[in-house]
Amino acid sequence: IADTITKSILQQGVLVIIEAKHMCMIMKDTKKINSKITTSATRGIFKKQAIKLEALSLMNKSSNLED
């Protein structure tokens, strides 16, 4: 996803975060119904740790406002 966005638009950086339910954890013997996995990918300026952390912090504040 991050590579496609990077190739498709003019940008300085891309940060993609995906949270999904892990079906094998739900379906198999563990029966962990709320099991989730989070994956992220960074491109461009978001490869710099300070910029990535700032973006993640802003997203966290934003998601807390929605609760």
Side-chain angles (χ1 to χ4, degrees):
I1 294 172
D3 289 337
T4 300
I5 293 171
T6 300
K7 292 175 187 176
S8 299
I9 62 173
L10 297 175
Q11 42 59 42
Q12 293 183 343
V14 172
L15 173 61
V16 175
I17 300 173
I18 298 173
E19 181 180 85
K21 290 191 176 189
H22 204 297
M23 293 305 291
C24 72
M25 293 291 285
I26 296 170
M27 302 298 286
K28 289 188 177 181
D29 293 335
T30 55
K31 304 284 189 217
K32 294 183 179 178
I33 303 300
N34 294 321
S35 179
K36 294 180 185 176
I37 188 167
T38 302
T39 303
S40 68
T42 56
R43 304 290 184 270
I45 64 169
F46 289 107
K47 288 260 185 208
K48 295 180 181 178
Q49 188 70 11
I51 295 173
K52 180 180 177 179
L53 290 174
E54 181 180 359
L56 291 171
S57 174
L58 291 170
M59 284 188 277
N60 187 36
K61 287 179 184 177
S62 176
S63 69
N64 287 338
L65 292 175
E66 294 174 5
D67 291 340

